[in-house]
Amino acid sequence: MTNIAICGASGKMGRVIAEIISSRNDCTVCAGIDKINDSYADFPIALSPEQLTMKPDVIIDFSHPSTLNGLLDYCLTNGVPLVIATTGYTDEQILKIKKAAEAVPVFFTFNMSLGINLLAELAKKAASVLEGQFDIEIVEKHHNQKIDAPSGTAIMLANEINDTLEQKCSLVYDRHSVRAKRSKDEIGMHSIRGGTIVGEHEIIFAGKDEVITLKHEAHSKSVFAVGSVNAALFLKDKTAGLYSMSDLLSEA
């Protein structure tokens, strides 16, 4: 039995993760971490990691970038593996995550969905075949409560595509301030916020007289919760290192 602590336990995703875990027999929620102590289940919720009364086997973080330092300090001090599913980190914070992974197992991805990670692989293949002939645009849609834009997943997709290209592209987030034709060496990034859209990502390859579109839609937050729980079970007995969804899929 794997004992999991959920950071951001009182939030929407934290509650979905707790529900997913409650339906499984190979893991359990031993504690929650949240600045809002809203006890809705049979596990205690601590205000911060250092207030946990027991050491979990692994922590799943679906909270906010501001909690990162405290989480990393706790995991490094206690040797606890960490699944990071929060988005919106700065480059400096990502460097801290990578540094921590030298001492403890860290699972870090911008999206926990299996479908999204498959989309990334398909996009990389398309980009390698179509490079130089097709313009690339990425459109992402999320609910009106999402703070960061573009989404971490959209940036991940763009970076995965860029790594495949021989001629690297720059990411262009805003065109209205510059009156100029689109250049070949760019990937357009577009964000839409509205309603209760869980998450949609569309990659457009636009060529001469033809358009190829790759698209993923998440209709429920549970797809991300399931992915994070699978990541926690995968990470439990791993040695120190930085792991991602591709590592998990390679063992599936």
Side-chain angles (χ1 to χ4, degrees), residues 130 132-135 184 205-212:
L130 305 175
Q133 305 173 66
F134 285 68
D135 297 323
K184 282 289 185 183
F205 294 88
K208 181 176 175 57
D209 299 329
E210 59 180 335
V211 175
I212 300 169

Side-chain angles (χ1 to χ4, degrees), residues 120-121 123-129 131 157-168:
E121 292 301 317
K124 287 162 62 176
K125 177 62 176 178
S128 67
V129 173
E131 181 174 1
L157 292 170
N159 288 337
E160 292 279 355
I161 291 171
N162 226 353
D163 288 343
T164 305
L165 301 175
E166 292 185 10
Q167 182 67 42
K168 304 306 178 188

Side-chain angles (χ1 to χ4, degrees), residues 1-6 21 25-32 43 52 54-60 74 80-81 83 229 232-233 235-237:
M1 183 66 70
T2 300
N3 291 313
I4 299 174
I6 304 171
I21 293 176
N25 55 18
D26 54 357
C27 55
T28 186
V29 181
C30 65
F43 56 84
L52 290 172
M54 69 170 291
K55 176 183 172 181
D57 294 320
V58 60
I59 295 176
I60 297 176
Y74 176 85
V80 176
V83 175
V229 175
L233 296 175
L235 200 65
K236 177 185 175 183
D237 297 318

